[in-house]
Amino acid sequence: MVEVAGVAPDALGPTITIGEILVELMATSIGHGFKAPQALIGPFASGAPAIFIDQVAKLGGGAGIVSAVGDDDFGWLNIDRLKADGVDVSAIAVLPDWPTGSAFVRYREDGARDFVFNIARSAAGQTTLTDAAEALIARAGHVHVMGSAFAIPGMARLILKAVEVVKARGGTVSFDPNLRKELMGSDLGRQVEAVIAVTDLLLPSGDELFLASGETQEGAAVNRLFSRGIAEVVVKRGREGATLFSQREGRIDAAAFTVEEIDPTGAGDCFGATYLTLRRQGTDALPALRYANAAGARTVTRQGPMEGTSSKAELDRFIDAQGAQA
């Protein structure tokens, strides 16, 4: 194996993330919205940072999350699930006066989704820098930043503080941006820019590569990000696989796996968590990309956002069942 490039080794300390934990309830019928009574399934443990960190732990990586849930069944469902999968849950505050965040999801005929969220006004929106959170951050080796967390008031301040602490001890930062062009140039956009400026591994999809770089062509965008100090850019291409652009290793492409999609929620989170964790554990770039593609593909074959997180053994069986590696 080559020396890990771009991210700090797992021995430095766990991967941590900061952001929302919630439950997801899904409509069983196809249609538009929730303006009429209908059947639901769930609750499922959810929240992009929670899905991500669960996948890190399932692969044996050190993992912890800073967040808050209500003192209710939804909150304990999440804590119990994360703890069982190996996540350090010591920095999840349990707030008796706030409900656990929630998301109601219904698919339309064209595959688009309607959502009803309660996040900012949930326990997750009250996440603060508790003593337990400071202790977790102080021993972390890597911070993974989720763009969704910036939608929660006050979360950016916590994220930037964690980045400052972890960087000071030689740790690294990855960023899954989830950017919109309307955001850039705003106060929130400047906070996102502050994260990009200290990012070691960027995990964009779609137009996020161009929004993060300010360029309109892929090559120019990657070069601009390299010039800002980013060591690796992994472009998630969905059904077309993924591409690594590395200052050290050049360009590496990995094809996607073909599966029947049941629920796409969490696929990108599991992809990013798998690539990052394997790289922190010393895996070479191409096999890390292949496993990341497998993790994303396996996720979409399961109903529920966190139901498709995978152990290494499960990914090996999935790849074997495909008949060939991507």
Side-chain angles (χ1 to χ4, degrees):
M1 290 186 181
V2 300
E3 180 183 354
V4 173
V7 290
D10 203 52
L12 183 64
T15 296
I16 65 167
T17 192
I18 302 172
E20 70 278 9
I21 292 176
L22 57 134
V23 292
E24 185 169 307
L25 296 105
M26 307 177 69
T28 60
S29 62
I30 303 296
H32 288 257
F34 293 92
K35 293 182 179 179
Q38 57 193 276
L40 303 168
I41 57 171
F44 294 109
S46 190
I51 299 166
F52 172 91
I53 208 66
D54 192 78
Q55 178 60 68
V56 172
K58 290 283 281 285
L59 291 170
I65 184 170
V66 177
S67 189
V69 298
D71 188 8
D72 51 36
D73 286 352
F74 292 165
W76 289 108
L77 177 154
N78 274 282
I79 291 175
D80 291 346
R81 169 62 182 273
L82 292 168
K83 185 176 181 179
D85 286 345
V87 177
D88 183 338
V89 298
S90 62
I92 301 176
V94 179
L95 308 180
D97 296 328
W98 291 88
T100 299
S102 60
F104 290 77
V105 185
R106 190 181 191 191
Y107 281 85
R108 299 181 179 182
E109 291 81 356
D110 62 0
R113 292 173 287 176
D114 289 328
F115 293 91
V116 176
F117 287 111
N118 175 31
I119 300 176
R121 292 179 176 85
S122 73
Q126 311 306 310
T127 303
T128 59
L129 195 62
T130 63
D131 290 345
E134 287 187 318
L136 177 62
I137 292 167
R139 59 185 181 82
H142 185 90
V143 179
H144 180 71
V145 181
M146 311 291 295
S148 60
F150 286 97
I152 303 173
M155 199 68 77
R157 179 180 57 82
L158 301 182
I159 291 169
L160 292 171
K161 176 63 177 176
V163 167
E164 177 186 356
V165 171
V166 173
K167 278 280 191 173
R169 65 186 302 266
T172 46
V173 175
S174 53
F175 185 27
D176 190 339
N178 192 25
L179 296 176
R180 303 188 312 274
K181 63 180 180 180
E182 294 82 6
L183 171 67
M184 307 312 288
S186 66
D187 288 341
L188 198 54
R190 283 184 282 276
Q191 293 170 335
V192 169
E193 285 288 332
V195 172
I196 292 174
V198 294
T199 291
D200 301 283
L201 166 64
L202 187 70
L203 294 153
S205 57
D207 289 340
E208 292 168 358
L209 175 67
F210 307 119
L211 291 171
S213 64
E215 299 286 348
T216 58
Q217 299 296 321
E218 186 170 82
V222 170
N223 288 333
R224 173 66 65 87
L225 293 167
F226 283 170
S227 74
R228 299 186 63 180
I230 294 176
E232 293 189 352
V233 179
V234 178
V235 180
K236 295 173 287 182
R237 304 188 191 277
R239 297 176 188 274
E240 297 178 3
T243 301
L244 166 68
F245 297 93
S246 168
Q247 292 213 44
R248 179 173 179 173
E249 297 171 83
R251 174 172 178 157
I252 300 174
D253 294 290
F257 293 89
T258 301
V259 294
E260 182 179 352
E261 181 179 293
I262 295 175
D263 181 5
T265 305
D269 305 320
C270 289
F271 174 99
T274 299
Y275 181 79
L276 169 68
T277 302
L278 294 182
R279 291 294 271 165
R280 292 200 69 201
Q281 292 172 345
T283 301
D284 289 346
L286 181 56
L289 274 180
R290 286 172 169 165
Y291 274 107
N293 279 339
R298 186 174 182 274
T299 298
V300 307
T301 66
R302 303 296 194 273
Q303 185 96 58
M306 204 183 289
E307 304 314 299
T309 56
S310 306
S311 67
K312 186 77 173 300
E314 287 170 330
L315 292 178
D316 284 331
R317 288 194 293 271
F318 172 85
I319 292 169
D320 289 344
Q322 288 281 316
Q325 290 193 348

